[in-house]
Amino acid sequence: MAILNFLPGSMIYNQYQDYFKERNTIIFNESFCTGRIPLDIFRDSAKDAYKIRIEEINKTYGGDCSKDYCDFISSLCGFDYSDISQINLYFGTDMFCQINMIALIYYLEMIKAKKNYRFDICMNLIDEETRYSSFEESIKEKRYLTKKDIDDLVMAFIYLIHNQETDKDNLSNMLERVDSFPYLKRALVNYYYIRTEEFKKRCLMKDETKQEYVVRMLKENCDLGLTNLFYLSLLK
């Protein structure tokens, strides 16, 4: 039986190629913290959902991500999970990583139930900001997920799918459900915060160049994990 690793972006893979080059590794190339999430995302009939995600990502970040996104979906959905005994998720603590992580867990549980796969999931929280001499040093927290953990994390993503606008009462109930995942709790709050007028006002450009603006935004909002292209999109 084999082990499969998931990374939140190519930067981590490039930094630690020696560690991952002989291991089954898929880069989770998405940005579920921005744009609409279709209800049927990841399902067998999800081609239209993928088109919606491509449109949302293009709108937010500019350019055309069609090929890269389709390559990512193909690697994710085309992988043979039948011989996998353990899946390691290596994700950061910011909103970008945490929201993507629960989307991935949602997908893995769907295919696990559908095809009766048997693999364990281990969540590894990593430090993406520091370049360590070995990848193992970047792992700050490791947690093998129980059935209850997975059920709670799956429900968190389902909640986002069905509640893409803020509902404070329902959100409060969901936060209680993921109480043992403090970084995810913060990510869920931030997921809705970046959709508010308060956040948009906070991100207004001052007497500064675009480069200075982006540097300021990345520094002030480091726990969001959003890219420079996201902040530039707010200026359009």
Side-chain angles (χ1 to χ4, degrees), residues 200-221:
K200 292 174 183 176
K201 288 180 181 178
R202 176 180 159 189
C203 293
L204 290 175
M205 193 174 183
K206 298 180 180 179
D207 186 17
E208 58 195 338
T209 65
K210 285 187 177 181
Q211 182 177 1
E212 291 170 337
Y213 167 77
V214 167
V215 170
R216 180 170 64 85
M217 288 295 97
L218 293 174
K219 184 178 180 180
E220 291 180 359
N221 304 306

Side-chain angles (χ1 to χ4, degrees), residues 76-88:
L76 180 69
C77 301
F79 189 85
D80 182 4
Y81 296 85
S82 61
D83 192 43
I84 298 299
S85 60
Q86 178 173 316
I87 292 180
N88 292 321

Side-chain angles (χ1 to χ4, degrees), residues 143-207:
R143 176 170 174 173
Y144 285 91
L145 300 179
T146 65
K147 184 180 184 307
K148 182 183 184 307
D149 290 336
I150 292 173
D151 287 346
D152 289 339
L153 296 174
V154 166
M155 287 306 300
F157 187 67
I158 291 175
Y159 173 84
L160 292 187
I161 291 177
H162 288 276
N163 299 274
Q164 295 181 39
E165 300 296 329
T166 310
D167 183 326
K168 292 183 178 179
D169 290 336
N170 286 337
L171 178 58
S172 178
N173 293 333
M174 178 50 64
L175 293 179
E176 287 183 16
R177 184 159 187 166
V178 294
D179 191 58
S180 64
F181 296 90
Y183 295 112
L184 177 60
K185 287 181 68 175
R186 186 177 69 189
L188 290 170
V189 171
N190 286 333
Y191 176 88
Y192 292 103
Y193 177 59
I194 67 170
R195 287 158 172 74
T196 64
E197 288 302 316
E198 178 186 349
F199 178 73
K200 292 174 183 176
K201 288 180 181 178
R202 176 180 159 189
C203 293
L204 290 175
M205 193 174 183
K206 298 180 180 179
D207 186 17

Side-chain angles (χ1 to χ4, degrees), residues 16-203:
Y16 303 103
Q17 283 191 42
D18 290 342
Y19 181 87
F20 288 106
K21 66 181 179 182
E22 300 298 330
R23 304 169 193 258
N24 291 320
T25 304
I26 295 178
I27 295 173
F28 195 77
N29 221 355
E30 238 285 11
S31 178
F32 278 113
C33 54
T34 58
R36 290 175 297 156
I37 308 173
L39 293 177
D40 60 345
I41 194 75
F42 290 142
R43 297 192 180 278
D44 290 341
S45 59
K47 288 186 178 179
D48 287 339
Y50 297 147
K51 290 178 182 176
I52 290 173
R53 286 302 301 154
I54 289 171
E55 289 173 1
E56 293 289 329
I57 296 170
N58 287 348
K59 182 173 66 177
T60 302
Y61 297 103
D64 185 0
C65 72
S66 301
K67 182 181 183 305
D68 289 341
Y69 192 85
C70 290
D71 288 347
F72 152 65
I73 290 296
S74 295
S75 66
L76 180 69
C77 301
F79 189 85
D80 182 4
Y81 296 85
S82 61
D83 192 43
I84 298 299
S85 60
Q86 178 173 316
I87 292 180
N88 292 321
L89 310 180
Y90 295 105
F91 284 81
T93 59
D94 56 64
M95 180 193 66
F96 183 95
C97 278
Q98 292 291 296
I99 297 300
N100 281 349
M101 184 183 70
I102 60 174
L104 176 55
I105 291 172
Y106 168 77
Y107 170 74
L108 292 172
E109 283 303 292
M110 280 178 51
I111 64 167
K112 191 176 184 180
K114 181 180 178 182
K115 299 192 176 181
N116 199 30
Y117 291 143
R118 298 184 181 277
F119 49 72
D120 296 321
I121 297 178
C122 181
M123 182 180 77
N124 301 269
L125 298 180
I126 61 174
D127 179 0
E128 299 178 276
E129 301 302 318
T130 307
R131 178 67 166 93
Y132 294 91
S133 56
S134 69
F135 179 69
E136 289 90 342
E137 291 180 73
S138 73
I139 303 172
K140 298 307 177 185
E141 186 178 324
K142 180 187 292 284
R143 176 170 174 173
Y144 285 91
L145 300 179
T146 65
K147 184 180 184 307
K148 182 183 184 307
D149 290 336
I150 292 173
D151 287 346
D152 289 339
L153 296 174
V154 166
M155 287 306 300
F157 187 67
I158 291 175
Y159 173 84
L160 292 187
I161 291 177
H162 288 276
N163 299 274
Q164 295 181 39
E165 300 296 329
T166 310
D167 183 326
K168 292 183 178 179
D169 290 336
N170 286 337
L171 178 58
S172 178
N173 293 333
M174 178 50 64
L175 293 179
E176 287 183 16
R177 184 159 187 166
V178 294
D179 191 58
S180 64
F181 296 90
Y183 295 112
L184 177 60
K185 287 181 68 175
R186 186 177 69 189
L188 290 170
V189 171
N190 286 333
Y191 176 88
Y192 292 103
Y193 177 59
I194 67 170
R195 287 158 172 74
T196 64
E197 288 302 316
E198 178 186 349
F199 178 73
K200 292 174 183 176
K201 288 180 181 178
R202 176 180 159 189
C203 293

